[in-house]
Amino acid sequence: MSDEYIGIGASFFLAGIIAVSMVILASTLGKKNPTRVKSEAFECGNSPFALPGGKLAIKFYLTAILFVLFDVELVFLYPWAVVYRDLGLLGLAEMGVFLGILMVGYFYAWDNGALKWK
Amino acid sequence: MNGINLNALVLLLPELILVGMALVLLVGARRLRSAVRVAGITVVTAVAAGVAAVWVLGMESNLGYDSMFTVDGYSQFFKVLITGALALTTLLSVRFVVESGIRIAEYHALLLLACTGMMVASSAVDLLTLYLGLELTTLCSYILVGITVDRSEANEAAIKYFLLGSFASALFLYGIALTYGVTQTTNYEGIHEAAQAVRVLGSPGQMILLAAVALLLAGLAFKVAAFPFHAWAPDAYQGAGAPVAAFLAAASKAAGLAALGRVCLVALDAEDRVVAGVLATVAALSILVGSMLAVSQTNMKRLLAYSSIAHAGYALLGFVAATSAMATGAAVTEAMSTGDGAMGAVALEASALEMSAMEALASDGAAASMTYALLYVFMTLGTFGVLVGLGDRGECLDDFQGLAAQRPGIAALMLLFLLSLAGIPPTAGFTAKFGVLLSVVRSGHWWLAVLAVLCSVITAFVYLRVAVVMYMKQPEKDVPARFSWAVSSALAVAALVTMIGGIFPAMALMDGIFPDFVPVWAVPPGN
């Protein structure tokens, strides 16, 4: 029974090695040229320390929410891919319908100018 | 793996029609500028979906998607009702859409999607399908309440509704999880069987199951705005536009009742003794609190919100009768099966008679609740419709001063709906109340019937006060504009149902027939 979990353990181990080695390699081999901005904590373009009430461009929020929306929907593609052969052509058609409905949402966002960076 | 059955897709035809049109509206959102045209399309779609809902009943198989979705008389009855409410709401909102400057296609797409969710909820025979349907409905409702983004009251109402609504959804989901923990299934039939086994064995799982019952009922009581989960309704109705409030009060409540009925009568019927007790308490308190709080309201939408809370209580009475009758029936069956040898032939026969009486009572009770939902939807849409038509003159109670002298036709129409809401014959409200009270008395809940009648007197005061203001005060404000054709036609339909629903069953009563307004094909569910 525990055999099934060896693979999971191995992938955790590998993921840990990769993450740790990247940090170590970057800090030992990397070129260092610090500026004030580069030394700040990275917060996707926001100032990491600011009082609430400061201005925030709404376009960041809009892009992020659209990304989360479509990203979460696309999670359904992975389980579908696993059982793709069992489902056959009808499964393909069904996923086509699903993606079609998703594309209507995408088209709606595009059509209404949500993707314009203005 | 059952594979995918194309025939099952036909079962979803009414839902597919609504979803399809919603998608078309979204794609064409920026090119559809005429509110009248979009409203026309939506009404036609609603009618088509209603026709499809009845047509689908003729299908051979009525269970689809791994027994998660069913098409039976009960579900299709509510679907026709929901599409009717959708059509009337659309007609009522034509002027609202134009005047408030909201996005036309999106508003109608949200209405269509909310109705799709309601339809799925009334067809659900699996708790997860039910959750999906209810979530789709409430997510669209949150946006509809706050769709006038430049009005701060609408934003406040939407936020309040959203916070309480997501809390109720979480409770409901927790209930599903606990149910699954005890019964290892989310399917209604499966829950019914497993719960029966749990009850017979008397295992510790029963306590968890009872907690699950409480959580599920709490989530559903929120959807029908029954006490003590009613607090959102007055704020949401007041802040939302009048047509949206009408939609929430009518369609949303009907769908909640549909879901509640099936969950109580099919999934949880092993615990019907407890369910009946909880429902009786919730119904009694909803009637009491709704009636009492409506007395002091001066804003018409808040007044109607509290009245809708009371009406939710009345509508639940039929299910109280049905669940307690089923519990008694189950007790008789148990006595028959355990005391088989000891019982004489006469006693057995008496038990069998009582069993069939209880079955009849259960189905009559559910039918009474369905009748109540049907008639309530139309009289509520009618009352809200008058508010919509009056516009600014329909906001507060004082605005109605002297309406009868200025516009006698409108005042008479409002009076008809108010009398119906109060339950005075020969209007539909009387038929509806008579049915639920009769079934509650027959199931032995005398105190509940007495309380309901006493509170009817209180609500009669609430509604007749509006009539007094309309007929016995001098007008102080300008004469309101005539109703547009869209509002007039919606009100004509609502008034027609309110009158027919009052007159025909009254005639049936004289012949001694139980006055339900449920067609023969719409048999209530049960095991």
Side-chain angles (χ1 to χ4, degrees), chain B residues 46-330:
Chain B
V47 172
V51 173
V54 179
W55 179 75
V56 166
L57 261 183
M59 291 292 116
E60 279 167 26
S61 79
N62 59 357
L63 207 59
Y65 307 97
D66 286 336
S67 306
M68 293 179 102
F69 188 91
T70 187
V71 165
D72 56 10
Y74 180 79
S75 69
Q76 302 317 88
F77 170 83
F78 277 103
K79 283 183 196 177
V80 173
L81 183 57
I82 288 162
T83 51
L86 170 66
L88 291 196
T89 309
T90 313
L91 286 174
L92 289 179
S93 49
V94 173
R95 208 182 69 177
F96 166 71
V97 171
V98 175
E99 282 184 357
S100 55
I102 52 176
R103 289 159 169 260
I104 297 163
E106 283 87 334
Y107 174 79
H108 291 95
L110 284 169
L111 280 181
L112 288 167
L113 290 175
C115 283
T116 313
M118 294 173 192
M119 288 184 162
V120 171
S122 58
S123 262
V125 279
D126 189 291
L127 287 176
L128 289 176
T129 320
L130 174 60
Y131 182 74
L132 182 75
L134 290 178
E135 270 311 88
L136 180 55
T137 308
T138 38
L139 285 179
C140 294
S141 306
Y142 301 146
I143 309 174
L144 282 172
V145 167
I147 197 156
T148 45
V149 275
D150 45 356
R151 280 177 59 236
S152 55
E153 4 7 331
N155 293 341
E156 184 192 332
I159 288 283
K160 278 180 180 167
Y161 184 24
F162 172 71
L163 287 177
L164 292 173
S166 34
F167 197 65
S169 289
L171 286 183
F172 188 71
L173 207 53
Y174 193 19
I176 297 177
L178 288 184
T179 313
Y180 183 77
V182 179
T183 61
Q184 275 112 55
T185 176
T186 51
N187 185 279
Y188 288 8
E189 288 290 335
I191 293 170
H192 158 71
E193 278 159 25
Q196 212 98 35
V198 167
R199 205 166 66 95
V200 171
L201 292 174
S203 67
Q206 198 177 6
M207 284 316 290
I208 301 173
L209 194 61
L210 287 179
V213 168
L215 290 168
L216 290 176
L217 289 180
L220 290 167
F222 179 88
K223 304 291 174 215
V224 297
F227 185 86
F229 307 99
H230 66 289
W232 61 275
D235 288 330
Y237 291 9
Q238 190 185 9
V244 175
F247 182 70
L248 288 183
S252 198
K253 199 161 287 212
L257 273 176
L260 188 90
R262 203 191 286 275
V263 168
C264 292
L265 295 175
V266 181
L268 304 178
D269 82 331
E271 299 294 346
D272 260 346
R273 179 71 55 206
V274 178
V275 171
V278 173
L279 283 187
T281 316
V282 166
L285 289 173
S286 302
I287 295 172
L288 193 66
V289 170
S291 314
M292 300 287 243
L293 292 181
V295 172
S296 59
Q297 301 305 319
T298 52
N299 181 291
M300 281 306 284
K301 279 194 255 171
R302 281 190 90 82
L303 189 150
L304 288 178
Y306 283 110
S307 116
S308 86
I309 293 165
H311 279 288
Y314 285 108
L316 286 178
L317 291 181
F319 288 136
V320 172
T323 44
S324 68
M326 284 175 76
T328 315

Side-chain angles (χ1 to χ4, degrees), chain B residues 331-372:
Chain B
V332 173
T333 322
E334 231 160 84
M336 274 165 76
S337 61
T338 50
D340 224 358
M343 263 182 170
V346 183
L348 264 179
E349 201 171 312
S351 303
L353 266 180
E354 198 184 342
M355 275 270 305
S356 61
M358 284 303 143
E359 271 166 24
L361 182 52
S363 114
D364 272 357
S369 273
M370 290 161 75
T371 310
Y372 204 101

Side-chain angles (χ1 to χ4, degrees), chain B residues 13-31:
Chain B
L13 188 64
E15 287 84 355
L16 289 178
I17 291 175
L18 294 189
V19 169
M21 190 45 74
L23 292 180
V24 169
L25 287 180
L26 284 181
V27 169
R30 269 161 61 81
R31 288 155 225 38

